[in-house]
DNA sequence: ATGTGTGAAGTGCTTCACAGCG
DNA sequence: CGCTGTGAAGCACTTCACACAT
């Protein structure tokens, strides 16, 4: 996946500090790792582990201890010297820092195979996210529902729903040719962040965050490394 | 997307040079951009553009001209001074460098919503990739087929198929709890590179390349930036 | 005149190493 | 003593700026 959100350390913070940040800005790489840490902590919690040192975390999940400490230190002092981190506490803090304590509405545009799969994907409808709507422009799909029971709505009804439900996020699962047009539409409706599955490079807009997830680029990248790692395959 | 393939510039090249590399190793970031360049060139070709300068490419696709030149220069001198790059030529070279001129077999493990959607996804069955099989461990799914007509096979038959068809790549679309086990199975069968959609951190194995595509991490990351970019939402 | 290819400078990310605290 | 938090060092990636080719 190629991101549009690139290094932003240069960008200064301006307003209130929703995560109680210490020091300037947070790099995107750090932000991504916070989510990974959260996953790891969930796993440890399920395993009944109560405290964990950065070293133990790093060993188990193949990270670097100093990096974990540095990443966390951006937001406060969560550790106990001589002991490590209390799993439950750190988890709660990460949830807060990542803004997952409030429910976020997501719309999915494109009710093809992928769009329907995403609409039914459990991960979206738990822990902080909920699917507010699934849209398509194909009249034959509109009105029908996914296996999971999510109805397909007309694009025409998108702006009203986005405003009414205060939807901030959109997932684009449309063909590459439609991607830019659909992007413009959802932004116009009020969406502030977009996860793009279409294999197209979107022309962004000020204040709108874009992340691209491109399966073919991922596969191509695997092949690239594969070829070079040993003598062919 | 959080990758496991991290910076590898330090790693020295050892054997033959399948992409005719000049100078030591290629960074993963460069590799990912090569795929992006290929996409851009396809778009330009469709638009009937015959030559393009790094500057024009960069403007149109929001990249940096020097970076494009540097990335390409790793593999040879493809440009014409005073003119730019011949779209068709550069495209052909990128296809070769990325190893897309040969067909790659891919298996998909997990025939849930996502797995089936991926099996039917057009992008996999064109331009260098083909789905060699879709597998699941659920007896109720085995024998049935996706909308696109891809049959679901038993996990038991996986190793034989991987060997017979020389499958090098696997896509994991299984629940997080099953991910590590399935990973070990496909690696044991001979797969050398894995694209992991399961929200779990895989414990890798020497010589096996892993890329993780985690939807929830992507969404979380969007929210993170969203919260910080302006005063809430 | 125009645009590549590339050493050098600039920037940001990661890792080290240790002071300081429990 | 063990482990965090952190300045400093190391390393990798990006961008600049210009020699050189056409």
């Amino acid at each position: 996946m190629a991101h549009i959100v690139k290094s932003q350390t240069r960008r200064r913070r301006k307003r209130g500090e929703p995560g109680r940040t210490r020091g300037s800005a947070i790099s995107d790489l750090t932000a991504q790792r916070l989510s990974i840490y959260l996953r790891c902590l969930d796993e440890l919690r399920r395993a009944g582990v109560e405290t964990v040192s950065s070293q133990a975390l790093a060993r188990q999940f193949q990270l670097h201890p100093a990096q974990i400490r540095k990443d966390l230190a951006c937001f406060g002092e969560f550790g106990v010297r001589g002991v490590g981190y209390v799993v439950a506490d750190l988890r709660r803090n990460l949830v807060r820092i990542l803004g997952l304590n409030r429910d976020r509405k997501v719309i999915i545009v494109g009710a093809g195979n992928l769009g329907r799969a995403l609409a039914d994907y459990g991960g979206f409808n738990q822990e902080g996210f909920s699917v507010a709507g699934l849209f398509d422009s194909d009249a034959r799909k509109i009105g029908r529902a996914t296996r999971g029971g999510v109805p397909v709505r007309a694009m025409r009804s998108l702006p009203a729903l986005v405003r009414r439900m205060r939807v901030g996020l959109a997932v684009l699962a449309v063909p590459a040719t439609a991607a830019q047009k659909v992007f413009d539409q959802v932004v116009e409706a009020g969406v502030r962040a977009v996860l793009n599955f279409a294999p197209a490079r979107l022309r962004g807009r000020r204040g709108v965050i874009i992340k691209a997830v491109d399966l073919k680029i991922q596969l191509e990248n695997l092949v690239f490394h594969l070829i070079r790692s040993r003598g062919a395959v």
Side-chain angles (χ1 to χ4, degrees), chain A:
Chain A
M1 128 205 44
H3 328 176
I4 303 277
V5 179
K6 21 167 66 181
S7 304
Q8 299 177 323
T9 313
R10 71 189 69 166
R11 203 198 273 175
R12 296 274 145 237
R13 313 215 61 261
K14 299 159 205 161
R15 306 260 305 258
E17 320 219 342
R20 219 154 284 114
T21 325
R22 320 178 341 151
S24 48
I26 308 297
S27 105
D28 184 51
L29 291 164
T30 295
Q32 296 207 185
R33 281 192 299 263
L34 293 180
S35 289
I36 295 176
Y37 301 152
L38 182 55
R39 277 284 160 71
C40 296
L41 289 173
D42 280 335
E43 207 168 301
L44 290 175
R45 193 178 56 156
R46 270 194 300 275
V49 178
E50 293 191 356
T51 66
V52 66
S53 67
S54 61
Q55 187 142 146
L57 239 183
R59 230 196 343 266
Q60 186 162 359
F61 298 102
Q62 303 163 79
L63 305 159
H64 199 286
Q67 187 153 71
I68 297 174
R69 294 202 298 274
K70 248 207 168 130
D71 285 343
L72 297 178
C74 293
F75 302 93
E77 309 207 352
F78 304 122
V80 183
R81 295 180 188 225
V83 178
Y85 300 88
V86 177
V87 173
D89 287 357
L90 183 54
R91 203 198 93 92
R92 205 170 322 113
N93 274 306
L94 282 179
V95 166
R96 180 179 50 77
I97 291 165
L98 290 169
L100 301 175
N101 40 5
R102 230 202 304 172
D103 193 66
R104 308 276 162 186
K105 305 287 184 208
V106 183
I107 55 167
I108 297 168
V109 185
N113 289 314
L114 183 60
R116 288 194 308 266
L118 293 175
D120 289 343
Y121 173 50
F124 278 9
N125 276 312
Q126 65 186 44
E127 300 182 57
F129 297 99
S130 65
V131 176
L134 170 62
F135 297 87
D136 204 293
S137 59
D138 184 345
R140 285 166 304 178
K141 288 178 184 160
I142 296 165
R144 303 191 55 180
T146 64
R147 285 164 204 266
V150 180
V152 180
R153 299 167 201 275
M155 285 301 286
R156 189 164 23 81
S157 66
L158 190 150
L161 185 137
V162 165
R163 273 172 208 133
R164 181 159 45 83
M165 299 188 69
R166 302 192 185 291
V167 175
L169 295 94
V171 175
L172 266 46
V174 300
T177 47
Q180 185 67 53
K181 188 181 156 199
V182 170
F183 173 78
D184 293 338
Q185 285 179 282
V186 298
V187 169
E188 197 55 48
V191 165
R192 318 299 316 166
V194 172
L195 189 56
N196 177 34
F197 280 86
R201 227 178 144 65
L202 295 179
R203 187 165 280 279
R205 224 143 104 179
R206 231 190 105 63
V208 180
I209 300 153
I210 302 176
K211 283 246 162 193
V213 177
D214 193 317
L215 302 186
K216 211 148 100 203
I217 288 185
Q218 298 304 316
L219 273 190
E220 286 179 9
N221 196 250
L222 283 180
V223 170
F224 180 87
H225 288 298
L226 206 49
I227 296 177
R228 267 141 250 268
S229 63
R230 296 149 315 116
V233 152

